[in-house]
Amino acid sequence: MAIGRRKLMAIGGVALAVAIIGGGGGVVVAMGGDDDEAEQPITGTDLEKASAEALQHTGGGRVTGTEVGDEESYYEVEVTLDNGNQVDVQLDENFNVVGQAADDDGANDQDGANDQDGSNDD
């Protein structure tokens, strides 16, 4: 029965190695994906409120994207201005503006030129 035990231990070792490698691979896949896939858009009346506040804050433009649970704030509203620049307006859960930053996707983005505090936080 010693051979049976060795086979069992070898199979167990291989299974453990596969589980460790497979589990690690899963973490890499989960972390390495595009973060846009995890974004949840704002919906319903919250979308209406967040959009209105963001457009008032930017002085116009059009809403071209939204996200709930953004890494910087509770809500994020992307506004494309008439000049083609994009601004991400950050709102808290009560729809108060808590920040803004130039979006790197804007056609005429000038490295943080629209950041609220004047810094380049990108």
Side-chain angles (χ1 to χ4, degrees), residues 4-25:
R5 265 184 157 164
R6 287 184 192 168
K7 280 186 181 180
L8 184 59
M9 290 179 69
I11 291 171
V14 170
L16 180 60
V18 168
I20 290 171
I21 292 169

Side-chain angles (χ1 to χ4, degrees), residues 27-84:
V27 170
V28 171
V29 169
M31 293 176 59
D34 184 5
D35 65 8
D36 289 344
E37 294 173 13
E39 293 178 0
Q40 296 296 316
I42 306 170
T43 59
T45 58
D46 287 353
L47 173 60
E48 294 171 19
K49 291 176 185 177
S51 296
E53 287 298 322
L55 291 172
Q56 181 180 351
H57 180 73
T58 60
R62 62 187 171 88
V63 173
T64 51
T66 65
E67 182 180 354
V68 175
D70 181 62
E71 60 272 359
E72 285 95 21
S73 62
Y74 193 81
Y75 296 113
E76 178 182 276
V77 178
E78 179 184 88
V79 176
T80 300
L81 303 172
D82 293 337
N83 65 7

Side-chain angles (χ1 to χ4, degrees), residues 9 17 21 23 38 48 56 69 76 79 87-88 91 95 104 109 114 116 121:
M9 290 179 69
I21 292 169
E48 294 171 19
Q56 181 180 351
E76 178 182 276
V79 176
V87 178
D88 290 338
L91 304 162
F95 305 100
D104 291 338
D109 183 29
N114 291 332
Q116 188 174 18
D121 295 334

